Amino acid sequence: MTALGFALLLVGAALMVAEAHAPGGGLGVAGGIGLVVGGIVLIGAVGGGAMLAVPVAVGIGGVAVAWTVIATRKAAGAGRTRIQSGREALCGRIGVVRQWHEPAGQVFVDGALWRAQHDWAGREQQARLEEGDAVVVERVNGLTLVVRRAEEWELVA
């Protein structure tokens, strides 16, 4: 019986570690159940009564539930954060035209000078960009930014 209790504790702990690496909730719940049942079986096997087993099981279960909730919330929050680096992070950023000679020029975005060209969809409607105009990065094509003129509401934020 003692071996079964230790086995359940080890499996429960392993499932909790797996939950930390692949959060979703299911592994954490299974790990918590394994820890609670393993604790009860182990305490019963070494001669402890219900007066000892129940508080230990409740404590272990509470810690397991808290761990699962925290890991799942952290994982869900990480999916909602904005990308901070790399080419994906430039999309939507506002920059300033440093020089422009149709159809391309240079813009200053996030502390760097980039080669840029007009957004192809709106080129006919847009007036020529001038030095100092604010632009929004629409996408990145290699080392060239595809930009459009920033609208008033985009400059407020």
Side-chain angles (χ1 to χ4, degrees), residues 5-76:
F6 276 123
L8 284 171
L9 284 174
L10 289 175
V11 168
L15 287 172
M16 294 301 285
V17 169
E19 173 70 24
H21 291 287
L27 294 174
V29 169
I33 291 170
L35 288 172
V36 168
V37 172
I40 291 172
V41 169
L42 192 59
I43 290 171
V46 296
M51 292 291 277
L52 181 61
V54 171
V56 168
V58 169
I60 291 173
V63 170
V65 166
W67 174 263
T68 302
V69 168
I70 289 170
T72 303
R73 283 193 177 178
K74 291 279 187 183

Side-chain angles (χ1 to χ4, degrees), residues 73-140:
R73 283 193 177 178
K74 291 279 187 183
R80 290 189 299 264
T81 58
R82 182 180 172 130
I83 297 171
Q84 297 294 321
S85 64
R87 52 187 281 166
E88 296 87 5
L90 289 172
C91 295
R93 298 286 171 110
I94 296 186
V96 177
V97 175
R98 288 293 168 95
Q99 64 179 195
W100 197 267
H101 305 287
E102 284 300 331
Q106 290 184 333
V107 296
F108 189 74
V109 179
D110 280 350
L113 199 57
W114 291 86
R115 218 176 358 202
Q117 63 186 29
H118 265 288
D119 183 16
W120 65 272
R123 192 178 305 160
E124 295 80 26
Q125 292 88 11
Q126 290 183 348
R128 184 172 187 267
L129 291 172
E130 300 289 333
E131 186 176 326
D133 287 346
V135 293
V136 177
V137 178
E138 289 291 310
R139 64 184 178 280
V140 180

